[in-house]
Amino acid sequence: MSRLVVLFAVASAAAAADPAAWPQFRGPGGAGVADGQHLPTKIGPDTNVKWKAAVPPGFSSPVVVGDKLVLTAFDGGKLVTIALSATDGTELWRKDSGATKIEAFHKTEGSPAASTPATDGERVVVYFGSCGLICYDLSG
């Protein structure tokens, strides 16, 4: 099963204005607020969608940094970090965490790829309970 990531024009515009436009869970300061943005009033499978990209399952929220959208996923028994182009959804890089044993979880209640990445605009930090904290530069 895969999930579908949809990036709306507002996130892309925010990324262009600020290199770490949505750097953590719930955005800047964790407030869940996108001041000064003009959000769409209607959202649907084909309404106000800039692009779509199929990605492996995981419960993390993506972060926007520069021209990238970064998320974590659980793919074929591996914990991975994936960077997509904020412009068109193209996969830019994918890194395996190297975890040798995956923590116990039940697929209806969670995922070993649940933690949202964080960024300072130059690096991306991800956390997997099975192997700990990992830091990448923006090129992976």
Side-chain angles (χ1 to χ4, degrees):
M1 176 193 296
S2 68
R3 63 183 170 155
L4 198 58
V5 170
V6 179
L7 179 65
F8 299 98
V10 66
S12 181
D18 181 355
W22 204 257
Q24 64 187 29
F25 182 68
R26 295 182 50 83
V33 177
D35 286 331
Q37 299 299 313
H38 302 286
L39 301 173
T41 57
K42 293 183 182 179
I43 299 172
D46 298 310
T47 305
N48 288 318
V49 174
K50 187 167 183 180
W51 54 260
K52 298 178 186 182
V55 296
F59 292 153
S60 75
S61 295
V63 295
V64 178
V65 55
D67 62 349
K68 295 172 180 64
L69 182 102
V70 182
L71 54 95
T72 60
F74 187 52
D75 188 19
K78 295 182 181 208
L79 298 167
V80 295
T81 303
I82 302 170
L84 304 173
S85 166
T87 305
D88 61 11
T90 303
E91 187 172 309
L92 301 173
W93 53 264
R94 178 184 296 228
K95 298 295 179 179
D96 181 354
S97 69
T100 56
K101 183 178 179 192
I102 305 299
E103 64 195 85
F105 74 100
H106 191 278
K107 66 182 180 177
T108 62
E109 297 175 6
S111 166
S115 295
T116 296
T119 181
D120 65 358
E122 295 179 20
R123 291 163 290 276
V124 174
V125 178
V126 297
Y127 177 78
F128 296 110
S130 298
C131 59
L133 197 65
I134 302 170
C135 181
Y136 299 103
D137 65 18
L138 296 184
S139 62

